[in-house]
Amino acid sequence: LRARIPFIALAVFLVFALSERLQLASVTSVTEKLKTERCQAPLLTSVVDYDLDSASQEMLRMLDNYFTTLRAHSKIEFVALASSEERCEQVKQRWGETCRVFHLGEHRWAKNLIGREILAMLRESRRPVVLVDTDVSVGLDPEPLLAKLSCDFGVDFAGGDEDRWNINSGFLFFAPTPVAESIATCVVDWIDLVRSDVDGAFKKYVLDTVPEGARIEGKSDVRRVDATAMSFDQDVVKDCARNAVTNETEMRFSVHIARKRVAGTVDFAQDVHLDVPPPGGGIGWYDGSKCNPVVRAA
């Protein structure tokens, strides 16, 4: 047995060494895969959910301007989002763009489903997905900058800047990474949670968080709000992005307006707009409002 101990020890060492090498190879492989996926050409998407036959002239001019200016400057791959095959066909016929059908179900607001669609596209394509509203004019090719965000700068998520945590959902950038997927998943989960039990969500996240002493008599309105009022897409994105940085879980922006209504004053809980506390989730962040104006304009 003694004579065999060195061989056993050697065998154990080799097993551990092999295990470590396999783990290192596995980590390296995952890292390389993520890098490769990050550097795929970005996919641009917009909600174009209109019946073009009955749309106003103003709406059609806005959409024509969006697609005309986009294609004047860029060949970036694009996919429109619409709630029916008929509306998708209209997009294809008028602008020659690819279109994807989503199903509204009981949702009143198309962009409340955008988290689900972005998550699906991230998982299907394994490339950056960028959501842009259609009320913009495109002045240059967005593809080089969008590609740099993910591939060169390692950005997981970016949103339109409205100062501090007021993220504008008119521009949302998601890289094909666990961080970005977690933000999109957070958006989906919260909207589903609220819609599955509106009464329960209103009581737990609104009524129970506004003390009786904070409610102004005669102005406090405790009537239940609808699901959209507690899960408006832009506010949910703010919460999910902020929580990814701070490692918090409170959906403060999503219910802030409803809480102020119950309190009967716009001054209630204004601390939600304070600067973000130190990161607790191990994820860095950049405040676009502090960037050089030229960088922001780009």
Side-chain angles (χ1 to χ4, degrees):
L1 181 59
R2 279 183 190 165
R4 297 171 70 180
I5 286 175
F7 295 101
I8 294 173
L10 179 61
V12 171
F13 173 77
L14 286 173
V15 168
F16 276 113
L18 180 59
S19 174
E20 289 177 359
R21 289 188 64 183
L22 287 173
Q23 290 177 5
L24 179 60
S26 176
V27 171
T28 302
S29 175
V30 170
T31 302
E32 289 176 348
K33 179 183 177 184
L34 285 175
K35 175 67 174 176
T36 300
E37 292 175 348
R38 274 183 173 281
C39 295
Q40 295 296 313
L43 175 64
L44 184 66
T45 186
S46 298
V47 177
V48 192
D49 190 32
Y50 307 99
D51 177 2
L52 300 185
D53 291 334
S54 60
S56 67
Q57 288 301 309
E58 182 181 3
M59 178 67 69
L60 291 174
R61 280 195 296 271
M62 179 193 78
L63 293 170
D64 283 337
N65 174 72
Y66 175 61
F67 287 112
T68 300
T69 57
L70 173 65
R71 288 312 178 202
H73 297 284
S74 180
K75 295 182 179 179
I76 189 171
E77 186 173 347
F78 174 87
V79 58
L81 295 171
S83 61
S84 69
E85 292 286 357
E86 292 75 18
R87 292 186 175 189
C88 265
E89 187 58 33
Q90 289 180 323
V91 170
K92 296 173 187 176
Q93 290 294 327
R94 188 176 183 101
W95 297 292
E97 300 289 353
T98 302
C99 186
R100 176 186 179 115
V101 177
F102 66 87
H103 301 286
L104 267 175
E106 296 180 357
H107 292 273
R108 286 170 36 202
W109 178 236
K111 286 186 74 174
N112 263 22
L113 288 173
I114 206 62
R116 190 181 304 281
E117 295 302 317
I118 286 176
L119 190 57
M121 286 190 279
L122 280 173
R123 290 173 174 172
E124 290 168 11
S125 65
R126 304 310 309 167
R127 61 197 289 195
V129 176
V130 187
L131 171 72
V132 177
D133 278 353
T134 55
D135 57 348
V136 299
S137 291
V138 181
L140 50 78
D141 186 358
E143 188 166 4
L145 176 60
L146 295 176
K148 281 181 176 293
L149 282 179
S150 180
C151 189
D152 296 347
F153 302 146
V155 172
D156 295 295
F157 168 83
D161 173 38
E162 288 187 354
D163 191 27
R164 296 180 181 175
W165 284 102
N166 288 320
I167 296 171
N168 189 320
S169 63
F171 169 82
L172 296 175
F173 173 94
F174 293 82
T177 65
V179 171
E181 283 195 25
S182 72
I183 293 173
T185 300
C186 168
V187 173
V188 173
D189 289 349
W190 174 257
I191 290 173
D192 285 350
L193 182 152
V194 170
R195 185 159 292 279
S196 67
D197 183 8
V198 182
D199 290 318
F202 181 66
K203 181 180 185 306
K204 181 176 181 179
Y205 299 106
V206 180
L207 284 181
D208 291 353
T209 63
V210 184
E212 292 284 347
R215 302 177 188 181
I216 298 177
E217 188 175 352
K219 294 186 177 180
S220 172
D221 185 352
V222 298
R223 290 174 298 172
R224 192 207 78 178
V225 298
D226 63 14
T228 303
M230 292 184 285
S231 59
F232 184 63
D233 68 284
Q234 184 158 298
D235 294 331
V236 180
V237 169
K238 290 181 198 177
D239 279 319
C240 291
R242 187 183 193 279
N243 290 348
V245 172
T246 64
N247 214 24
E248 297 173 297
T249 57
E250 183 186 5
M251 302 295 284
R252 65 193 69 208
F253 294 110
S254 301
V255 295
H256 183 49
I257 294 175
R259 286 175 177 173
K260 288 194 294 185
R261 199 186 78 172
V262 170
T265 172
V266 296
D267 296 326
F268 180 77
Q270 284 294 94
D271 59 307
V272 301
H273 296 295
L274 297 178
D275 277 335
V276 66
I283 299 169
W285 66 285
Y286 294 94
D287 181 353
S289 66
K290 295 180 175 63
C291 287
N292 182 297
V294 175
V295 175
R296 275 188 284 155

